């Protein structure tokens, strides 16, 4: 009998997250003859995202739909997944390395008594089995790991694998029984108060325009926001800019902020401290704009522009606007 792989999908603002399709792609890459793929979608009001997910799955989509699962809570999600794991006994569980995935994965691994590999950026099939690549020391090195036991839980860094494409016949959507009601929860999330209302999710954005202390003020972010809008990207920041009060900490990228891997990262007025690089060095193409030609950011940049960001960024915005219109 083949392996059973379970992909735990996620929604954000009622929409399926792109990283869920990337996790599905990983499952298809690892799939061998006789293996089964199950996608599980937890949340509330899941009709639309479940249909979208089913369009990419050859097998089954299980929905865990309950009001207490609308917003992630470790307790409610653990309850919801426990029975499912006990019944389905997956050999491998794949999740996005998101805030939810990072919290949920070790709980699932403990429940399954499985090994766990986190923050995977690449995978390959070898004679020894699947090898998972993950960064070490804030992205300064990489290690390749494999699961030695019969069970594993793996989280995948967003934007590193391609998303799974559509399938010819969508999967059947099977609602799971209610595993949440009946067990009183110790904590319940009543409301989420958003600090920012960014149009594009920073961790999934294909383009990130980031500002550092060099933007000099909150107003200094405006040209960056305009460039991000033209490129349909998101705005990020260094901790230097956050500490200076130029922007919200929700934008911070780096070791103690968000990790992003966009196709294009434009660093404006950021020196390139190791702690910042930890959050963006895996971006596909990095453009650095800095008036100091010795700034360390140029060492990892694919393209470097030595100049004043307040001159260079509006020029880029104008050029991209013309090219893309
Ligand atoms: P600076 O280092 O001050 O650089 C500003 C740059 O702007 C300079 O290179 C300057 O030449 C350039 N500049 C100035 N004016 C202009 C202009 N008009 N046009 C173009 N360029 C201009 N940092 C993070 O970013 N993320 C983290 O998660 C993070 N975590 C940390 C965790 C720990 C434990 C510690 C100790 C530090 C952490 N830091 C983090 C802080 C990090 O070490 C740096 O202090 C920070 O990244 C510096 O931010 P910056 O590059 O914006 O500022």
């Amino acid at each position: 009998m083949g392996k059973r792989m379970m992909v735990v999908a996620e929604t954000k603002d009622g929409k399926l997250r792109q990283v869920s399709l990337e996790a599905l792609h990983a499952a298809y890459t690892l799939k061998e003859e006789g293996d089964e793929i199950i996608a599980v979608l937890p949340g509330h009001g899941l009709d639309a995202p479940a249909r979208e997910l089913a369009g990419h799955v050859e097998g089954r989509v299980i929905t865990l739909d309950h009001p207490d699962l609308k917003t992630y809570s470790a307790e409610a999600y653990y309850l919801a997944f426990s029975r499912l794991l006990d019944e389905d006994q997956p050999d491998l569980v794949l999740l996005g390395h998101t805030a939810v995935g990072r919290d949920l994965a070790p709980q699932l691994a403990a429940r399954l008594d499985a090994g766990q590999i986190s923050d995977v950026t690449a995978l390959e099939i070898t004679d020894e089995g699947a090898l998972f690549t993950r960064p070490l020391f804030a992205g300064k090195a990489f290690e390749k790991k494999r699961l030695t036991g019969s069970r594993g839980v793996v989280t995948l860094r967003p934007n590193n694998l391609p998303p799974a494409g559509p399938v010819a016949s969508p999967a059947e959507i099977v609602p799971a029984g209610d595993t949440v009601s009946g067990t009183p929860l110790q904590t319940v999330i009543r409301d989420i108060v958003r600090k920012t209302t960014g149009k594009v999710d920073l961790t999934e954005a294909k383009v990130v325009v980031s500002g550092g202390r060099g933007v000099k003020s909150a107003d200094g972010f405006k040209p960056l926001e305009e460039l991000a809008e033209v490129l349909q990207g998101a705005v990020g920041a260094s901790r230097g800019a956050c500490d200076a009060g130029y922007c919200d900490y929700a934008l911070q990228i780096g070791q103690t902020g968000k990790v992003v891997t966009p196709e294009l990262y434009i660093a404006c007025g950021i020196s390139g401290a190791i702690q910042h690089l930890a959050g963006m060095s895996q971006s596909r193409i990095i453009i650095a704009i800095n008036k100091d030609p010795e700034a360390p950011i140029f060492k990892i940049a694919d393209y470097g522009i030595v100049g004043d960001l307040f001159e260079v960024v509006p020029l880029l915005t104008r050029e991209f606007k013309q090219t893309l219109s």
Side-chain angles (χ1 to χ4, degrees):
M1 216 178 83
K3 292 190 298 299
R4 177 169 283 169
M5 289 188 267
M6 183 180 276
V7 174
V8 178
E10 254 186 78
T11 55
K12 188 162 186 199
D13 299 331
K15 293 199 180 102
L16 188 68
R17 291 194 69 165
Q18 157 97 357
V19 69
S20 305
L21 298 183
E22 294 165 10
L24 208 48
H25 170 90
Y28 286 123
T29 307
L30 299 168
K31 189 173 187 280
E32 291 170 357
E33 185 79 32
D35 288 352
E36 182 194 7
I37 295 177
I38 309 168
V40 182
L41 185 64
H44 187 49
L46 297 172
D47 288 353
R51 271 200 309 275
E52 187 187 347
L53 181 61
H56 297 263
V57 179
E58 286 167 5
R60 263 189 302 156
V61 169
I62 299 176
T63 51
L64 291 168
D65 196 322
H66 192 277
D68 287 337
L69 301 175
K70 186 168 193 277
T71 305
Y72 177 75
S73 104
E75 196 188 357
Y77 269 57
Y78 182 69
L79 264 181
F81 271 93
S82 295
R83 203 182 79 191
L84 198 66
L85 294 184
D86 294 349
E87 273 175 13
D88 277 312
Q89 293 291 326
D91 302 288
L92 183 65
V93 181
L94 297 152
L95 313 86
H97 192 73
T98 58
V100 170
R102 280 194 296 237
D103 201 59
L104 183 61
Q107 298 182 70
L108 304 187
R111 182 80 185 191
L112 288 169
D113 198 16
Q116 189 187 331
I117 303 180
S118 299
D119 201 12
V120 167
T121 54
L123 53 92
E124 64 196 280
I125 311 296
T126 69
D127 294 343
E128 285 180 279
L131 278 186
F132 300 91
T133 304
R134 62 181 302 274
L136 283 176
F137 307 120
K140 282 239 153 199
F142 289 88
E143 63 176 353
K144 290 187 178 189
K145 283 185 129 172
R146 72 187 168 88
L147 292 159
T148 51
S150 58
R151 284 188 174 166
V153 174
V154 173
T155 65
L156 301 138
R157 188 183 280 204
N159 277 339
N160 277 262
L161 299 176
V167 292
S169 51
E172 184 192 1
I173 300 173
V174 188
D178 179 357
T179 50
V180 182
S181 302
T183 313
L185 297 174
Q186 308 284 325
T187 52
V188 180
I189 294 175
R190 299 293 299 271
D191 199 8
I192 297 280
V193 181
R194 283 174 193 259
K195 286 177 98 183
T196 55
T197 52
K199 290 176 201 145
V200 183
D201 181 349
L202 189 53
T203 52
E204 289 194 359
K206 299 259 180 270
V207 178
V208 174
V209 182
S210 242
R213 227 189 307 254
V215 300
K216 297 195 173 66
S217 67
D219 275 352
F221 265 95
K222 287 211 175 109
L224 279 59
E225 282 158 11
E226 282 162 21
L227 178 57
E229 198 179 327
V230 169
L231 296 173
Q232 294 180 358
V235 173
S238 70
R239 179 156 141 190
C242 300
D243 283 344
Y246 304 160
C247 62
D248 196 279
Y249 279 101
L251 301 191
Q252 185 183 320
I253 289 167
Q255 187 180 316
T256 44
K258 296 195 166 80
V259 174
V260 297
T261 39
E263 285 174 13
L264 177 63
Y265 188 89
I266 308 180
C268 311
I270 293 176
S271 59
I274 175 74
Q275 295 90 351
H276 186 76
L277 304 189
M280 46 65 73
S281 61
Q282 294 305 302
S283 306
R284 199 152 294 159
I285 295 175
I286 298 169
I287 300 178
I289 304 164
N290 198 303
K291 62 181 186 186
D292 174 8
E294 302 299 323
I297 190 84
F298 287 129
K299 291 204 180 102
I300 63 142
D302 299 285
Y303 301 96
I305 303 173
V306 179
D308 186 335
L309 72 93
F310 295 105
E311 289 169 19
V312 176
V313 172
L315 279 176
L316 288 178
T317 306
R318 205 180 66 199
E319 287 300 317
F320 279 124
K321 226 183 227 170
Q322 276 173 9
T323 317
L324 298 173
S325 64

